[in-house]
Amino acid sequence: MTRTAPFTFRLDARSGVPVYRQLIDQVQAGIASGKLASGEQIPTVRQVAVDLEINPNTVLRAYRELEIRGVLDTQQGTGTFISDRKVTQDDAEHDRQLEQLVSEFVARAGVGGFTVKELMDRLRERITEPEKRTK
Amino acid sequence: MTRTAPFTFRLDARSGVPVYRQLIDQVQAGIASGKLASGEQIPTVRQVAVDLEINPNTVLRAYRELEIRGVLDTQQGTGTFISDRKVTQDDAEHDRQLEQLVSEFVARAGVGGFTVKELMDRLRERITEPEKRTK
DNA sequence: GACGATGTATTAGTAGACTAGTACACTATT
DNA sequence: AATAGTGTACTAGTCTACTAATACATCGTC
């Protein structure tokens, strides 16, 4: 190939996942996998809207949410680009996500018959042996 | 106290978390923390509905979901109880499930930018001050 | 079997999530 | 300044998650 293929989106109508969320996930996955580099332009709001036959506002919602997270930079009249800044989430949001994660963890542990103490003991091992990964 | 205080629910109206889900989480957290033992009766659908000023069906939805998961046993006309089936696992299987749960937890925490220490600190609060709510 | 406790089914109202229609605003290029 | 690209605001429609109102079914006890 003479040049890298442009980033494109795909929709799975049967997944039940909201369109705007599918877009968000694909951008983040693209970044994580290296397909999208910092500063790179992603398809325009209108282009995506036409290709996927959806409303520009649906694309906008995805892009805006990613911009709020610091993943994208949007420039009106020009386009939308992968941000080059490192993501810095505010403390409140960080705390909220942590609380949610822990809540779900404890709940699932309860179902499995585990005690919180067991979980903590196992977690402690993770600190002393940080390189171990089972999955 | 002559006898252990009965298990009670609390609602956080500002959390944005659905009522039925708050009930589910509190039951599961109660089991994980040891406040709820196998065979123990939890407040009746009607009692909870009256206490929290919500509809019996909202409580029912929570209890039913927990019953489907095998967490609760409901007996019409009698009451709802913590299931005793979940407790009998052989040690190896128990350990394997624990490891898997912790692995997934740590992996998701890593993606979210949390440290294991943060997780443990938050978990510790669940044990020592279970009724405390920051939001 | 009557009663009072329990859980349950049916139906419907409400709020919010999600998306679209449409018109507007900004930017770069000419 | 004209134009064609870009992102954006405003409004509204639709669907569904969530909860409630109300009446019904089951169980234990007397």
Side-chain angles (χ1 to χ4, degrees):
Chain A
M1 4 175 169
T2 58
R3 46 168 297 177
T4 57
F7 187 78
T8 55
F9 291 98
R10 293 187 183 186
L11 290 184
D12 181 359
R14 293 176 302 177
S15 68
V17 179
V19 172
Y20 84 98
R21 176 144 291 283
Q22 291 188 44
L23 299 181
I24 289 175
D25 292 343
Q26 288 177 39
V27 169
Q28 294 200 315
I31 296 174
S33 65
K35 291 178 186 171
L36 289 175
S38 291
E40 182 172 343
Q41 182 172 11
I42 61 177
T44 68
V45 167
R46 287 182 141 75
Q47 186 68 46
V48 176
V50 171
D51 287 349
L52 302 182
E53 296 180 340
I54 59 180
N55 194 277
N57 277 319
T58 303
V59 185
L60 179 66
R61 174 168 180 179
Y63 282 13
R64 177 164 300 161
E65 192 161 315
L66 287 168
E67 185 186 22
I68 292 174
R69 296 187 199 174
V71 177
L72 296 180
D73 279 328
T74 64
Q75 298 175 17
Q76 182 163 346
T78 306
T80 305
F81 306 84
I82 304 296
S83 175
D84 52 356
R85 301 183 308 240
K86 288 306 175 185
V87 178
T88 58
Q89 30 175 275
D90 58 301
D91 290 349
E93 175 66 9
H94 179 84
D95 189 79
R96 192 191 64 78
Q97 289 185 4
L98 176 60
E99 181 65 24
Q100 182 173 334
L101 182 63
V102 170
S103 290
E104 181 183 343
F105 187 47
V106 170
R108 288 177 57 186
V111 174
F114 308 111
T115 67
V116 175
K117 187 174 184 309
E118 274 183 314
L119 298 177
M120 292 191 60
D121 290 342
R122 193 62 63 101
L123 273 176
R124 212 184 319 275
E125 300 173 6
R126 294 288 177 136
I127 298 181
T128 56
E129 307 182 49
E131 70 274 17
K132 194 170 186 179
R133 282 294 154 89
T134 54
K135 65 186 300 187
Chain B
M1 9 177 163
T2 58
R3 46 170 297 178
T4 56
F7 187 78
T8 55
F9 292 98
R10 293 187 182 189
L11 292 184
D12 181 359
R14 293 176 302 174
S15 69
V17 179
V19 172
Y20 85 99
R21 177 143 291 282
Q22 291 189 44
L23 300 180
I24 289 175
D25 291 343
Q26 287 176 39
V27 169
Q28 294 191 146
I31 295 174
S33 66
K35 291 180 186 169
L36 289 174
S38 293
E40 182 172 343
Q41 182 173 12
I42 62 177
T44 69
V45 166
R46 285 182 143 76
Q47 186 67 46
V48 175
V50 171
D51 286 349
L52 303 181
E53 297 180 339
I54 59 179
N55 193 277
N57 277 320
T58 303
V59 185
L60 179 65
R61 176 170 181 178
Y63 281 12
R64 177 164 299 160
E65 192 161 315
L66 287 168
E67 186 187 21
I68 291 174
R69 298 187 197 173
V71 178
L72 296 180
D73 280 327
T74 64
Q75 298 175 16
Q76 183 162 344
T78 305
T80 305
F81 306 83
I82 304 295
S83 175
D84 51 357
R85 290 172 305 178
K86 278 292 175 181
V87 186
T88 58
Q89 288 184 21
D90 59 301
D91 290 350
E93 176 66 8
H94 179 85
D95 190 78
R96 192 192 63 79
Q97 289 186 5
L98 176 60
E99 182 61 26
Q100 181 173 335
L101 182 62
V102 170
S103 291
E104 180 183 342
F105 186 47
V106 171
R108 288 178 53 186
V111 173
F114 308 111
T115 67
V116 176
K117 187 174 185 308
E118 273 183 314
L119 299 178
M120 291 191 60
D121 289 343
R122 193 61 65 100
L123 274 175
R124 210 185 321 273
E125 298 174 6
R126 294 289 179 132
I127 300 179
T128 57
E129 306 183 52
E131 69 272 22
K132 194 168 187 180
R133 281 294 153 88
T134 54
K135 58 191 309 187

